[in-house]
């Protein structure tokens, strides 16, 4: 919860930075894009905002890790139950297996109240709906065996709402990671496919400015070695595309409206990433490495390290 609150505040800072930035001149031809520098303030700002949204991905991966740990832990009991509760600090998490869908489901809710003296200033509510299916050679199983595990299918929705409506957010994820039997548990070769979305509505301090950010990511046949990814290596191949639309509206002395859509297209080549980024006027093309570009590899490497321990 603290991570989410920090993200909401950091995007408020991003909002302030945008107000202070001036736009570059547009292209001379109607459909011609300018060639941009990676030091351009608007590029740096968009990249920071997009990667800031990726903090919600970290939150979802953390829950996926907890979810997998809980199911493997229950499976190790003398008689595993298809419905059980798992403890997370002072909170209770409900976990249930559905025979019809052959998915495990998890539900969690947490309320965080901010007080000023005896008066409630804000109530932030986090709700998480998570689902996981384990597969052995394409067949769903209730109780996974790490040595026979060939795929993990995950779908999650994370909702953050506030009493004042000044910091609402939603993130979703639908991913599949697959490999030959034993590859996941032994930190071998896997392929990742899936999508992720993120939406945020934030009102700045004083209520004069607001930001509406919507982003999505699509992972297509990202082939990676889990052990190498743990060391920060890039995927061997595959493509990851982020698309984000940011709308900012301000009233008062700094009244203006700003809207643009950004695309970050990342293609992996084993030791590097080719990145093509665009907005409505400019294109940036450069080569980067996995330690500085938001991507799906390291969280999954850490996640599967947990499976290997079972």
């Amino acid at each position: 919860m603290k991570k989410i609150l920090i993200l909401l505040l950091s995007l408020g800072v991003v909002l302030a930075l945008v107000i202070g930035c001036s736009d570059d001149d547009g292209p001379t031809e109607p459909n011609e894009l300018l060639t941009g520098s990676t030091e351009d303030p608007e590029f740096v700002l968009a990249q920071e905002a997009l990667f800031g949204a990726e903090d919600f991905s970290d939150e979802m991966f953390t829950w996926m890790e907890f979810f997998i740990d809980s199911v493997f832990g229950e499976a190790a009991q003398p008689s595993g139950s298809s419905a059980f509760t798992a403890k997370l600090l002072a909170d209770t998490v409900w976990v249930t297996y559905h025979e019809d869908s052959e998915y495990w489901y998890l539900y969690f809710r947490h309320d965080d109240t901010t007080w000023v003296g005896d008066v409630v200033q804000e109530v932030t509510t986090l709700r998480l709906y998570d689902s996981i299916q384990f597969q052995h050679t394409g067949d769903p199983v209730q109780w996974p065996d790490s040595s026979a595990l060939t795929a993990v299918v995950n779908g999650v929705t994370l909702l953050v709402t506030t009493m004042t409506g000044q910091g609402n957010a939603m993130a979703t994820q639908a991913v599949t990671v697959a490999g030959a039997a034993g590859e996941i548990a032994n930190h071998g070769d896997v392929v990742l496919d899936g999508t992720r979305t993120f939406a945020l509505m934030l009102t700045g301090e004083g209520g004069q400015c607001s930001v509406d950010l919507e982003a999505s990511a699509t992972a297509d046949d990202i082939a990676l070695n889990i052990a190498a990814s743990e060391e920060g290596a890039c995927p061997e191949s595959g493509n990851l595309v982020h698309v984000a639309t940011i709308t900012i509206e301000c009233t008062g002395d700094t009244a203006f409206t700003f809207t643009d859509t950004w695309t970050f297209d990342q293609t992996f080549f084993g030791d590097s990433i080719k990145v093509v980024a665009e907005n409505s006027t400019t294109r940036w093309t450069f080569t980067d490495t996995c330690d500085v570009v938001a991507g799906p590899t390291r969280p999954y490497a850490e996640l599967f390290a947990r499976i290997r321990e079972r």
Side-chain angles (χ1 to χ4, degrees), residues 248-270:
I248 299 170
E249 296 182 356
C250 291
T251 58
D253 295 337
T254 57
F256 76 98
T257 299
F258 170 84
T259 299
D260 212 341
T261 298
W262 294 78
T263 300
F264 285 80
D265 190 332
Q266 304 166 15
T267 303
F268 300 98
F269 292 98

Side-chain angles (χ1 to χ4, degrees), residues 15-39:
L15 176 62
L17 290 174
V18 171
I19 294 172
C21 292
S22 59
D23 294 334
D24 289 339
D25 293 334
T28 56
E29 298 296 331
N31 296 317
E32 180 183 354
L33 293 180
L34 296 171
T35 298
S37 166
T38 55
E39 296 181 358

Side-chain angles (χ1 to χ4, degrees), residues 61 64-65 68 134 146 149-153 175-179 183-188 190-192 224-227 230 296-310:
F61 280 123
M64 189 176 176
E65 177 182 306
I68 288 175
F134 301 97
S146 60
L149 188 65
T150 57
V152 176
V153 184
V175 296
T176 299
V177 179
E183 288 294 308
I184 293 175
N186 293 319
H187 287 199
V190 297
V191 176
L192 167 67
L224 60 99
N225 180 273
I226 297 173
E230 288 179 323
T297 58
R298 194 171 187 88
Y300 270 103
E302 295 172 354
L303 175 66
F304 291 131
R306 312 284 294 195
I307 295 177
R308 189 181 188 183
E309 295 171 358
R310 295 297 179 180

